[in-house]
Amino acid sequence: MAKIIALGAYFYQAVIAFGLLIVVAHWLAPADYASYSLFISICQFAAIAAFEWVRFACTRFYPGPDAASEAAERRAILVEAFACAALCLIAACLSLFFGVPPVVALVGGLVSIAQGGSDLHLTMLRFRQDFRAFSVLQGSRATILAAGTLLGALVSPSFLSTVTGLLGGYAAYGLLALLLSRRAKTRPAAALDSARVRKHLVYGSVSAGAATAAMFAPLALKAIFTAALGTTGAAGALLALDLLQRPFVLIVSALQAIQYPEIVAAHDRAEDRAALPRQLGHYYALLTSFALMMAAGIFAVLLPAAWLVISPDLQQGFLATAPAIIVLSLVRTLTQIMLPTPLHLKQRLALILLLAVIDCAFLNLGALTALLTAGPDGAALAWGSAVGAILAALVGLRLMSSLAFEFSWPPVLFAAAGLGAAVFAFILSGETSFATIGAGIIGGGLLCLLSLNQLRLMLRAPGPGSA
């Protein structure tokens, strides 16, 4: 139950963030909203640049197999977090030389520290498997930050007042997190281990570099679309990229965040090592099934959603590229999140980075190959990039097989059948084929429900040696 609540906290945060964006866009003048949007993007980038390596190290090494390792890891992560906070303040000071007003630089530096630090704290709670505290704080953070931002905009609908309200929200959340985490003070202390810090820095930096390569891939693909089709001609394809990748990342990342701590614990504790193949197989089946079900759901509602939501000027380019973008997003999400799991467990740093680079390179080489063979055609470019993503995933599958696992096929097969039904209905649907669309929704939905039932049975099945 705690894991289900934690999963719900991720979706709650996504809904709050989406709603906040809409409200702030209505309340602020266009110039102030543009400044606010740029400020948020810069702060997010600064938080990732400064703190991401520590967060990645936390996902692999914290808490460790026993209480002593937990104390040592916590001590190292705390010192590393303070160093990252100092980097954010230094960057804020340097921004003054580029004409940034001092107040904006100070608020930006503090918001970056608050975001990076709170993300790191929530990651520690997850990997300590304290999902109750994680759920409370994850949901509270989304609510408090939204309230602070809106309060700042209400006091004065200006950029500075809005971001000051956001900073006030972070201060209130920090106080709440401190009150809820006071029991951590009773845990044993440990001396700082420089070798542990170096290990964190090496592993965290490589993992963060792989994440950066994964983020660069769609940016390069957008550049190819824009160069080949022009700004106007590429707009529909770019909208498909912006909209259709997010659901996959949201659902698979949320599931990974909840399940992966158990995988790390089973791998690192000798007494749990025998159960690891079964846990890995269940983990892979869970992520794959939900990714396939997400693809089925998007295909099932793609046409009516496009007719209702997408601007008529963009519908043709959007629908021409959307099927390939869905395939691309499905495959890349699994390549980034699921396939490198054994590499992270074994700390195979070079291969982690290599897979990310291969994914980025193959994706864009596929689009360039399609451009050379088929010319400036949006659908061809999209399918070329999808083929490239599939080829990269085949490399990832080979790397994933380096650690034994017992895959559970029934839920994945039902989910794949649901995707097949939704794709078949989409192909047969025309401009007014509502009956076909409805059949795809119903048929795909029933098969996905069967997949969910198989997942339920899989997760409830007793392990080897259970009574």
Side-chain angles (χ1 to χ4, degrees), residues 316-334:
Q316 182 177 356
F318 178 86
L319 289 174
T321 56
I325 298 299
I326 295 172
V327 174
L328 179 152
S329 302
L330 165 67
V331 173
R332 287 199 73 237
T333 302
L334 295 177

Side-chain angles (χ1 to χ4, degrees), residues 226-276:
T226 304
L229 305 177
T231 305
T232 303
L238 299 187
L239 181 61
L241 276 168
D242 288 337
L243 290 180
L244 299 178
Q245 293 183 93
R246 296 189 181 195
F248 291 98
V249 175
L250 174 63
I251 186 67
V252 178
S253 295
L255 290 169
Q256 189 257 7
I258 301 305
Q259 294 295 119
Y260 186 58
E262 286 188 3
I263 301 297
V264 174
H267 180 271
D268 290 349
R269 294 172 185 165
E271 62 271 22
D272 297 334
R273 193 71 59 84
L276 181 61

